[in-house]
Amino acid sequence: MISNSLMGTDVTTLHLPSYADRYTDTTRLLRLKFIAKVCPKLKVPALRLAIDYVKTTFNVKLYDELYSSLCGQEGERDEEVLLPYDSYWVEDNMLEATLLLQELDAELNFKKSNSSSGHVRRILEEIGDYHEKSGNLQLAVKFYARTRAYCTSSDNVITMFRHLIRVSIYMTNWWHVLSYTDEAKQYALGFENLAQEVPPRLSCAAGLANMGLKNYKSAALHFLATPFGNYDYDKIVTPEDVCFCAGLCAMATFEREKLQVDVLSSESFKPFFLISPKMRSTVANFYEGQVEVTLGLLAEIEYIVRLDVYLSPHVDGLYKIIKGRLPKGTRNTDDPKKLVITRA
């Protein structure tokens, strides 16, 4: 469903190729596909970028889907956007994918009989990677999970959890994301070298899952605990994305004192705000009760957050809560442009 809020929005300031380059693999495709769905003005360039990138994967099904979306219904095709269907790539890709899977399956059977657990684990990971690259996310989860029996170190186990969490994020299977992050954190606590490092690195994933489940306060706490430049899913959720998610979720749920201490005055979160000063300004003006400025800033960032595949489903709800928490006011009869604030 196309977002009405983006129908008339000027999104020409967004340089889509640069935006897409912030993400990799399945995330880039998911985000471009989402933008094409919700933003008519960016539909054609988003689909073109996605079609170009999907050809670096084995996902022929998605290529067909994107190509169909670009071309439109039969008889309604726009010749200006029509691209030739790359049947050569489709045939070659399908053959290469089939041969690779056969090779991986044969190698797995051989390694199980003749090699150590480490070799078996690596082949299972490669098969998981193959299915992820093919768009078969359920099978990717299956093979990543199978590596657990062949892990020979604590690092191997954490790597398995990271794979499972990543693919579960792609699938927006938020309960599984939370389950895997909790398991990974509990496991890491048993190892001195992992206990301090792993939990913070997974905070962003937990933030996404809690936001997906509309647990906005918990989401804010996890996003705020995300270490800048040192978390596992920066190619899925960039620092700027973390800033928007944390800021909006905190504004919707934190009391004023907590907003000041844990958000505006947070030294650990400061680098995120440096990337997105407008989000910090929005939070600061909200904290100070500057109603009209806050509303104006929320309107300015709205097109950005509505283009985020993970944050967009929550924008209406978060904005409603945030606006409802703003101080109430009445217009000054002597100066109608001036808002007289009366705190609830």
Side-chain angles (χ1 to χ4, degrees):
M1 182 177 179
I2 295 174
S3 170
N4 292 330
S5 300
L6 291 173
M7 288 292 289
T9 304
D10 180 12
V11 292
T12 55
T13 55
L14 179 68
H15 187 254
L16 198 56
S18 298
Y19 175 86
D21 283 344
R22 291 158 50 183
Y23 308 98
T24 60
D25 305 322
T26 301
T27 299
R28 186 185 298 190
L29 293 169
L30 288 173
R31 287 182 174 273
L32 288 171
K33 181 181 174 183
F34 179 76
I35 289 172
K37 178 182 177 182
V38 301
C39 186
K41 291 184 178 180
L42 294 176
K43 180 175 182 178
V44 172
L47 287 172
R48 283 181 173 270
L49 284 171
I51 287 171
D52 184 57
Y53 191 71
V54 78
K55 291 168 73 173
T56 66
T57 75
F58 295 126
N59 201 338
V60 171
K61 181 180 178 180
L62 181 57
Y63 173 80
D64 286 340
E65 182 183 336
L66 294 169
Y67 184 81
S68 177
S69 296
L70 181 65
C71 295
Q73 298 299 316
E74 189 69 32
E76 298 180 2
R77 295 183 175 181
D78 185 342
E79 294 300 328
E80 293 182 2
V81 303
L82 187 59
L83 291 174
Y85 184 80
D86 195 343
S87 57
Y88 174 79
W89 174 81
V90 170
E91 294 173 8
D92 187 62
N93 183 277
M94 292 178 68
L95 177 60
E96 181 183 351
T98 300
L99 292 174
L100 177 58
L101 183 58
Q102 290 175 350
E103 179 182 328
L104 288 170
D105 284 340
E107 190 170 358
L108 176 61
N109 291 329
F110 176 80
K111 297 294 186 185
K112 280 184 174 180
S113 303
N114 300 281
S115 299
S116 66
S117 293
H119 288 94
V120 176
R121 177 184 56 80
R122 283 192 290 271
I123 295 301
L124 287 170
E125 281 187 351
E126 287 185 39
I127 296 176
D129 294 344
Y130 165 87
H131 287 301
E132 183 179 331
K133 201 172 181 181
S134 301
N136 299 319
L137 300 182
Q138 291 281 8
L139 282 176
V141 167
K142 176 183 176 181
F143 279 93
Y144 288 139
R146 285 177 61 185
T147 65
R148 180 65 181 264
Y150 300 95
C151 289
T152 57
S153 71
S154 56
D155 286 336
N156 291 165
V157 176
I158 295 300
T159 296
M160 177 207 66
F161 279 124
R162 286 170 174 159
H163 288 319
L164 293 172
I165 293 167
R166 182 184 67 252
V167 179
S168 295
I169 291 173
Y170 294 157
M171 299 167 69
T172 62
N173 195 333
W174 302 125
W175 285 114
H176 281 190
V177 173
L178 283 181
S179 176
Y180 291 137
T181 53
D182 287 345
E183 284 187 62
K185 289 176 183 178
Q186 288 300 315
Y187 179 83
L189 292 177
F191 299 88
E192 185 176 351
N193 62 320
L194 299 176
Q196 297 299 316
E197 174 193 353
V198 171
R201 291 177 69 100
L202 297 177
S203 290
C204 182
L208 279 179
N210 277 283
M211 185 173 71
L213 295 169
K214 298 185 179 181
N215 299 324
Y216 297 131
K217 187 170 186 178
S218 182
L221 292 170
H222 281 98
F223 284 126
L224 289 165
T226 300
F228 183 81
N230 189 30
Y231 60 101
D232 287 350
Y233 302 103
D234 58 313
K235 295 303 183 181
I236 295 177
V237 187
T238 67
E240 184 177 19
D241 300 329
V242 171
C243 190
F244 284 121
C245 292
L248 292 177
C249 288
M251 289 166 68
T253 58
F254 283 11
E255 298 302 323
R256 293 184 75 253
E257 183 179 353
K258 189 172 184 63
L259 203 63
Q260 171 64 42
V261 174
D262 293 350
V263 184
L264 294 171
S265 299
S266 171
E267 285 299 316
S268 62
F269 203 72
K270 184 177 180 179
F272 289 97
F273 276 140
L274 291 176
I275 289 179
S276 185
K278 187 167 288 186
M279 188 66 244
R280 189 191 189 284
S281 182
T282 305
V283 177
N285 279 281
F286 173 82
Y287 168 78
E288 294 168 4
Q290 300 296 321
V291 178
E292 292 189 351
V293 178
T294 301
L295 293 175
L297 288 167
L298 285 171
E300 287 181 27
I301 66 171
E302 185 173 358
Y303 88 91
I304 300 174
V305 296
R306 285 195 181 276
L307 291 177
D308 186 308
V309 65
Y310 298 116
L311 181 54
S312 182
H314 308 281
V315 172
D316 286 339
L318 287 170
Y319 269 45
K320 182 178 180 179
I321 296 170
I322 291 167
K323 291 175 181 179
R325 301 186 79 198
L326 285 167
K328 308 302 179 185
T330 57
R331 297 291 175 182
N332 188 318
T333 54
D334 296 325
D335 183 1
K337 292 183 178 180
K338 185 176 181 180
L339 192 69
V340 179
I341 301 301
T342 54
R343 292 197 176 276

